[in-house]
């Protein structure tokens, strides 16, 4: 018995075209059906799906909105609209429709997952964690929700819980490459570097063509100081995707290609096809600038850096007024002459003491940490997000940091620490900690503070050449905003020196790199440690380095970057003009 041919403009026929990957044909059929069935929202929704599947997300938005205009209760269209808004970088606009959807359909695991995605994209990690939890409650076997909650918990600094979430996703699907990749970062932060490296290898073995897996393995190898092995991973990505922006940027950062002209040509070709205003274009601009710098073409390097930073400044705008108000409100809580009387539980009864390494990013904090970590009684913890995350609600609401609050903070912060292997001290070099000195000193009066001071113009040059993950360093993409933040940093440190006289060791980067023995001895004295010769040779350490300084730290200490800003004064002119000479006497 033969069946009559299926009409080409029925929902079933259009879905069949989508499953076959025939997106243009599916869109054409959906458009035809829309004209024939003007009041049926299903076809507008299918037209949007077809466009989105073809990579035309922005064009798809109008069709999802059309479907919702025809039927405001059409939940699939609402989910598709929200997901597409997130993909288009409009996560804020996705929150309202998703919140409504989850209120109307509280058992819809997919809706909660999308809400978690949108919240995470807008920086609301706590809200993302909550929404992902609802998704898991609605469908415990939804591995992607466990994975997403793990990412939210990473942002919140709750690394052990993040590891647990990614592990849950892997139990549900042992071949989940994304879960393997996402697990690597928190494992490294918990000082479980061997596990992170093994998991990254497993991800690559599971899918050798997966660029994200190769990037994760490359990052782990770089952190371990195995730069040549990392380069192999990035080149493997280019075998499958010759214009992969992140792989090209990483290779340019490593500077290990024998034929740099070939790498330069690959970057140039990728730049020609990269969409204007895209992150890929910015990544390629930073890569091109690195190559031009090594080829001593400062004019080309400056042009590429200007273009790349402009893209990132547009994509990640920095709110200078909010930044200023936020920092100054923290400073205002602690005044010179105030009595600091912490609750007994706020201290550290076990004797494990933090050493907070303060300073602007690229000011030598990683090198200082490595010197301290060469001492057998110090464990390097890198950039810990936990203190800032724990204190953020209190700072935002203006709640009192009384003795009970200090004790609660100290307990929660300690609970988030990984094992220290018997060391009595640990380092925390999170850049933003300079805002929190009053809180940290109150919670643990025995804590030690070291502040790295480097010529701000050299710091700015280093920042201007770097692309950073996340939004915390968005100010680095705008020279005027960078000067404003530098002034706030100097203002904050002047304030803390007045509030806690003698508690903070100021250490010049220039001394750190020209006389590492004297610098490491000064840090040891300040921290109550017995100096050891190994502290003057941090390049010999075998600990992982998870910041942009990974490549530099594997070299013997050198002073080649001191004063390099002078060669680029014209490029840095807007920054230099914005510095306050009262706060930065070295620029007078």
């Amino acid at each position: 018995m033969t069946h009559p041919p299926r009409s080409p403009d029925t929902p079933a026929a259009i879905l069949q075209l989508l499953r076959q990957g025939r997106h243009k044909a599916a869109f054409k059929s959906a458009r035809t059906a829309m004209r024939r069935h003007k009041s049926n929202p299903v076809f507008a929704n299918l037209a949007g799906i077809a466009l989105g599947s073809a990579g035309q997300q922005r064009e798809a938005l109008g069709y999802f909105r059309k479907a919702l205009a025809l039927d405001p209760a059409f939940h699939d269209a609402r989910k598709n609209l929200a997901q597409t808004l997130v993909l288009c970088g409009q996560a804020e606009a996705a929150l309202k429709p998703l919140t409504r959807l989850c209120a109307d359909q509280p058992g819809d695991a997919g809706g909660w997952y999308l809400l978690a995605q949108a919240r995470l994209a807008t920086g609301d990690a706590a809200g993302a964690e909550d929404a992902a939890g609802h998704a898991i409650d609605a469908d415990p076997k939804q591995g992607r929700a466990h994975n997403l909650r793990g990412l939210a918990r990473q942002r919140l600094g709750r690394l052990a819980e993040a590891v647990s979430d990614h592990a849950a996703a892997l139990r549900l699907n042992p071949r989940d490459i994304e879960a393997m990749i996402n697990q690597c970062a928190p494992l490294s932060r918990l000082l479980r570097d061997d596990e992170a490296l093994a998991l990254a290898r497993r991800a690559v073995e599971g899918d050798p063509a997966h660029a994200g897996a190769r990037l994760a393995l490359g990052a782990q190898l770089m952190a371990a100081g195995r730069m040549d092995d990392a380069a192999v991973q990035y080149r493997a990505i280019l075998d499958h995707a010759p214009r992969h922006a992140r792989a090209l940027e990483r290779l340019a950062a490593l500077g290990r290609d024998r034929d740099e002209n070939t790498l330069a040509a690959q970057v140039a070709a990728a730049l020609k096809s990269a969409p204007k205003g895209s992150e890929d274009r910015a990544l390629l601009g930073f890569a091109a600038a690195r190559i031009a710098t090594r080829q001593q073409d400062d004019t080309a390097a400056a042009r590429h850096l200007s273009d790349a930073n402009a893209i990132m400044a547009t994509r990640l705008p920095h709110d200078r007024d909010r930044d200023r108000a936020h920092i100054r409100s923290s400073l205002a809580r602690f005044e010179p002459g105030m009595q600091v009387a912490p609750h007994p539980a706020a201290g550290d009864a076990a004797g494990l003491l933090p050493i907070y390494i303060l300073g602007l990013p690229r000011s030598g904090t990683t090198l200082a940490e490595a010197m301290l970590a060469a001492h057998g009684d110090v464990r390097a913890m890198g950039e810990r997000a936990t203190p800032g995350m724990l204190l953020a609600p209190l700072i935002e609401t203006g709640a009192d940091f009384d003795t009970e609050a200090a004790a609660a903070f100290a307990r929660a912060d300690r609970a988030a620490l990984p094992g220290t292997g018997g060391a009595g001290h640990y380092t925390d070099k999170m850049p933003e900690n300079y805002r929190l000195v009053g809180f940290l000193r109150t919670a643990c009066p025995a804590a030690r503070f070291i502040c790295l001071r480097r010529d701000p113009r050299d710091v700015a040059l280093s920042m201007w050449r770097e692309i950073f993950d996340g939004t915390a360093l968005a100010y680095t993409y705008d020279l005027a905003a960078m000067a404003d933040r530098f002034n706030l940093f100097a203002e904050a440190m002047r304030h803390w020196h007045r509030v806690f006289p003698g508690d903070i060791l100021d250490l010049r980067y220039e001394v750190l790199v020209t006389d590492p023995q004297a610098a490491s001895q000064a840090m040891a004295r300040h921290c109550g440690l017995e100096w050891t010769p190994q502290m003057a040779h941090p390049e010999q350490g075998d600990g992982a380095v998870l910041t942009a300084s990974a490549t530099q730290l594997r070299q013997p200490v050198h002073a080649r970057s001191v004063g390099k800003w002078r060669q680029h004064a014209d490029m840095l002119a807007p920054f230099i003009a914005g510095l306050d000479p009262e706060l930065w006497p070295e620029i007078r």
Side-chain angles (χ1 to χ4, degrees), residues 32-307:
T32 300
M34 285 176 66
R35 289 191 291 270
R36 293 180 180 175
H37 310 283
K38 292 183 172 58
S39 62
N40 190 334
V42 169
F43 296 108
N45 186 49
L46 289 170
I49 292 172
L51 285 173
S53 300
Q56 297 174 263
Q57 280 85 12
R58 294 188 184 279
E59 293 82 355
L61 291 172
Y63 286 93
F64 296 133
R65 290 188 174 113
K66 171 72 171 175
L68 285 169
L70 292 171
D71 181 4
F74 192 176
H75 294 299
D76 281 346
R78 193 174 306 283
K79 283 197 286 191
N80 291 333
L81 172 64
Q83 187 168 35
T84 306
L85 285 168
V86 173
L87 290 172
C88 290
Q90 301 177 42
E92 193 75 41
L95 292 174
K96 186 175 180 180
L98 283 171
T99 301
R100 177 178 171 182
L101 185 149
C102 292
D104 292 345
Q105 301 283 324
D108 187 338
W112 284 110
Y113 173 81
L114 290 173
L115 181 58
Q117 258 192 331
R119 286 177 173 171
L120 194 62
T122 58
D124 180 9
E129 179 191 27
D130 178 71
H134 281 288
I136 292 167
D137 291 340
D139 182 4
K141 294 185 178 181
Q142 187 182 172
R144 63 177 186 169
H146 288 280
N147 218 353
L148 189 56
R149 189 170 69 178
L151 291 174
R153 286 174 166 173
Q154 285 190 50
R155 298 266 187 96
L156 292 169
R158 301 200 335 250
L159 301 177
E161 292 173 87
V163 167
S164 178
D165 270 320
H166 297 312
L170 283 169
R171 283 195 297 273
L172 290 167
N173 177 10
R175 298 182 179 181
D176 187 339
I177 302 296
E178 295 300 324
M180 295 179 204
I181 295 169
N182 293 337
Q183 182 81 297
C184 290
L187 282 173
S188 290
R189 296 278 181 198
L190 290 168
L191 311 181
R192 294 160 63 180
D193 303 306
D194 290 344
E195 292 177 62
L197 182 59
L199 198 60
R201 289 193 186 284
R202 180 177 152 197
V204 170
E205 290 166 2
D207 186 355
H210 195 295
R214 294 274 186 187
L215 288 171
L217 180 53
Q220 292 302 318
L221 291 166
M222 282 184 68
R226 297 167 59 180
M227 305 305 173
D228 289 332
D229 291 339
V232 169
Q233 298 305 317
Y234 301 136
R235 292 191 194 102
I237 294 172
L238 298 180
D239 290 341
H240 295 280
R243 297 183 179 181
H244 194 284
R246 179 63 74 175
L248 289 167
E249 188 274 333
R250 289 290 79 197
L251 278 173
L254 285 170
R256 272 170 155 69
D257 274 62
R258 295 174 192 167
D259 185 1
E260 193 149 74
N261 289 329
T262 299
L263 180 61
Q266 287 179 283
V267 170
L271 264 172
K272 286 182 180 179
S273 61
K276 290 183 178 180
S278 66
E279 184 177 343
D280 277 359
R281 194 170 187 86
L283 284 164
L284 293 164
F286 283 108
R290 292 182 193 277
I291 296 169
T293 297
R294 286 195 290 271
Q295 295 177 339
Q296 300 183 339
D297 188 346
D298 290 343
T299 300
R303 183 181 71 253
H304 286 303
L305 287 172
S306 177
D307 292 345

Side-chain angles (χ1 to χ4, degrees), residues 487-562:
N487 289 337
L488 284 170
F489 165 78
E491 179 185 324
M493 293 315 304
R494 176 182 288 185
H495 177 80
W496 296 130
H497 274 296
R498 289 198 298 260
V499 177
F500 305 112
D503 282 3
I504 303 170
L505 171 67
D506 278 340
L507 185 63
R508 294 294 310 183
Y509 171 83
E510 292 77 10
V511 175
L512 197 70
V513 296
T514 57
D515 194 347
Q517 179 170 321
S520 58
Q521 286 174 339
M523 289 192 289
R525 282 194 302 272
H526 183 71
C527 297
L529 300 168
E530 183 178 347
W531 181 79
T532 62
Q534 292 88 345
M535 295 176 71
H537 298 281
E539 75 280 0
Q540 297 174 5
D542 58 1
V545 182
L546 302 177
T547 67
S549 304
T551 53
Q552 295 98 318
L553 190 60
R554 301 303 175 182
Q555 308 170 30
V557 177
H558 62 80
R560 290 193 296 271
S561 63
V562 173

Side-chain angles (χ1 to χ4, degrees), residues 275-569:
K276 290 183 178 180
S278 66
E279 184 177 343
D280 277 359
R281 194 170 187 86
L283 284 164
L284 293 164
F286 283 108
R290 292 182 193 277
I291 296 169
T293 297
R294 286 195 290 271
Q295 295 177 339
Q296 300 183 339
D297 188 346
D298 290 343
T299 300
R303 183 181 71 253
H304 286 303
L305 287 172
S306 177
D307 292 345
N309 279 292
I311 290 171
M312 294 306 298
T314 300
R315 294 179 65 85
L316 299 174
H318 176 63
D319 189 338
R320 292 164 67 177
D321 292 336
R322 184 179 184 278
D323 197 33
R324 189 180 299 109
H326 191 270
I327 290 174
R328 287 179 175 163
S329 68
S330 294
L331 302 185
R333 289 169 171 262
F334 304 90
E335 295 295 336
M338 67 178 292
Q339 296 297 313
V340 178
H343 188 282
D348 187 80
L352 181 61
L353 295 176
I355 301 171
Y356 294 105
I357 303 172
L358 313 173
L360 292 162
R362 315 299 290 165
S363 65
T365 55
T366 301
L367 179 56
E369 180 181 56
M371 286 181 171
L372 286 165
H375 191 285
D377 198 38
V378 179
R379 190 71 182 269
M381 295 291 182
E383 297 177 358
R384 297 185 65 239
T386 305
M389 289 296 181
L390 291 173
L391 290 167
L394 182 144
I395 294 172
E396 292 289 344
T397 60
D400 289 337
F401 194 63
D402 54 21
T403 54
E404 293 297 334
F409 164 76
R411 287 191 296 267
D413 188 38
R414 177 53 43 80
L417 280 173
T420 60
H425 300 72
Y426 69 90
T427 57
D428 181 343
K429 59 174 287 291
M430 173 58 74
E432 295 300 294
N433 280 345
Y434 76 83
R435 301 177 298 115
L436 310 176
V437 170
F439 301 98
L440 301 174
R441 170 68 170 68
T442 300
C444 186
R448 298 291 185 263
F449 295 88
I450 299 170
C451 181
L452 271 293
R453 304 299 296 253
R454 183 184 182 187
D455 188 309
R457 296 159 294 191
D458 278 334
V459 178
L461 176 62
S462 184
M463 285 182 171
W464 192 241
R465 290 171 161 175
E466 192 69 52
I467 186 167
F468 297 95
D469 291 330
T471 60
L473 298 179
Y475 66 89
T476 64
Y477 304 122
D478 180 317
L479 289 169
M482 201 190 300
D484 203 44
R485 172 58 84 91
F486 278 41
N487 289 337
L488 284 170
F489 165 78
E491 179 185 324
M493 293 315 304
R494 176 182 288 185
H495 177 80
W496 296 130
H497 274 296
R498 289 198 298 260
V499 177
F500 305 112
D503 282 3
I504 303 170
L505 171 67
D506 278 340
L507 185 63
R508 294 294 310 183
Y509 171 83
E510 292 77 10
V511 175
L512 197 70
V513 296
T514 57
D515 194 347
Q517 179 170 321
S520 58
Q521 286 174 339
M523 289 192 289
R525 282 194 302 272
H526 183 71
C527 297
L529 300 168
E530 183 178 347
W531 181 79
T532 62
Q534 292 88 345
M535 295 176 71
H537 298 281
E539 75 280 0
Q540 297 174 5
D542 58 1
V545 182
L546 302 177
T547 67
S549 304
T551 53
Q552 295 98 318
L553 190 60
R554 301 303 175 182
Q555 308 170 30
V557 177
H558 62 80
R560 290 193 296 271
S561 63
V562 173
K564 190 169 280 190
W565 70 269
R566 293 185 179 87
Q567 302 171 33
H568 308 280

